[in-house]
Amino acid sequence: MQIEGDHSLCPACGSARLEFFPVLHHMICAYVGPQYDFASGAAGHNCPKCRRDIVSGDQACEIVGTSARCIECQTEMVVSPPSAPG
């Protein structure tokens, strides 16, 4: 499911209770997922695919987008940039 960045309602249930998370790309193993998939560790995060530690500022991990999850119905969605006025 996808919403635009300027929308604040869940398309599945209409709730305004959305949590937003960065989507991370771990270049070592090519895993892409929301930040909550990466377990917190002493030095930063841990990749769920390869289990390597990712420290803050690691060049092998980049933010590639934003995801949202509805607190009410747990629906997950990709957040796209707002549409340009036209």
Side-chain angles (χ1 to χ4, degrees):
M1 193 169 287
Q2 187 167 342
I3 61 171
E4 289 190 15
D6 56 355
H7 286 75
S8 58
L9 298 177
C10 174
C13 73
S15 173
R17 298 184 64 203
L18 299 178
E19 294 179 292
F20 294 88
F21 303 93
V23 174
L24 304 178
H25 172 216
H26 189 218
M27 292 180 253
I28 301 294
C29 67
Y31 184 81
V32 177
Q35 186 174 21
Y36 57 79
D37 280 358
F38 292 76
S40 294
H45 291 89
N46 188 274
C47 179
K49 183 176 178 183
C50 69
R51 305 285 186 232
R52 292 182 189 216
D53 289 328
I54 302 168
V55 295
S56 181
D58 190 338
Q59 297 295 315
C61 191
E62 63 182 345
I63 297 173
V64 294
T66 304
S67 68
R69 180 170 53 191
C70 178
I71 295 170
E72 299 295 327
C73 71
Q74 299 299 307
T75 297
E76 295 185 18
M77 57 214 87
V78 174
V79 179
S80 62
S83 298

